[in-house]
Amino acid sequence: MAAPIVGLSKSKLAVNIVANTGLKNCVGAVILLHGSGDNGSNFNSWIRDTLGEELSFPHLQVIYPTAPSRPYTLSGGMLSNVWFDRYALEYETHEDTDSINHMTDEISKLIQDQVNKGIPENRIFLGNFT
């Protein structure tokens, strides 16, 4: 089983990285975003418990970043680890574009961190759970 590496990227997001290989052997990355109110470490644990083993690949890093804690309207304004604020869970609802744009920038920095380590953009997969 790969040992998680926990730290901060240049994006200022806390990240939990699972890698079977050293960076010299990595040819790609999988970045998995947790659902609202969770964190990267718990998401990693849930996937491991669901699969019965770590989600890992011989030449890929699996990265579980944690969204920053911010007031979340859907939780009555309580602090929660969310990627962006939502005003309601309705299709026609206005979105908080400032928080969306901020997280788009932060996730882009996280992707750029991987590119700076030599991983081509076309070998970086971004997925989420909600």
Side-chain angles (χ1 to χ4, degrees), residues 27-67:
V27 297
V30 177
I31 301 172
L32 297 174
L33 307 179
H34 61 78
S36 297
D38 204 357
N39 64 55
S41 182
N42 286 345
F43 190 31
N44 177 201
S45 294
W46 179 78
I47 288 175
R48 185 177 49 247
D49 291 346
T50 300
L51 296 176
E53 62 185 4
E54 193 71 67
L55 176 65
S56 62
F57 306 92
H59 300 293
L60 299 178
Q61 281 194 345
V62 181
I63 303 167
Y64 299 88
T66 296

Side-chain angles (χ1 to χ4, degrees), residues 4-111:
I5 303 164
V6 179
L8 290 176
S9 71
K10 289 181 184 176
S11 72
K12 300 179 186 174
L13 295 175
V15 295
N16 186 25
I17 300 173
V18 177
N20 274 348
T21 61
L23 280 177
K24 293 177 184 176
N25 296 325
C26 284
V27 297
V30 177
I31 301 172
L32 297 174
L33 307 179
H34 61 78
S36 297
D38 204 357
N39 64 55
S41 182
N42 286 345
F43 190 31
N44 177 201
S45 294
W46 179 78
I47 288 175
R48 185 177 49 247
D49 291 346
T50 300
L51 296 176
E53 62 185 4
E54 193 71 67
L55 176 65
S56 62
F57 306 92
H59 300 293
L60 299 178
Q61 281 194 345
V62 181
I63 303 167
Y64 299 88
T66 296
S69 182
R70 69 172 78 230
Y72 190 44
T73 301
L74 294 181
S75 293
M78 294 181 62
L79 292 178
S80 188
N81 292 346
V82 293
W83 299 107
F84 59 92
D85 196 14
R86 300 199 66 173
Y87 300 127
L89 286 177
E90 299 171 5
Y91 182 73
E92 299 287 330
T93 299
H94 175 75
E95 298 288 358
D96 180 352
T97 56
D98 288 341
S99 65
I100 292 170
N101 290 336
H102 174 72
M103 287 317 306
T104 299
D105 291 343
E106 292 302 309
I107 292 168
S108 293
K109 290 175 188 175
L110 182 60
I111 292 168

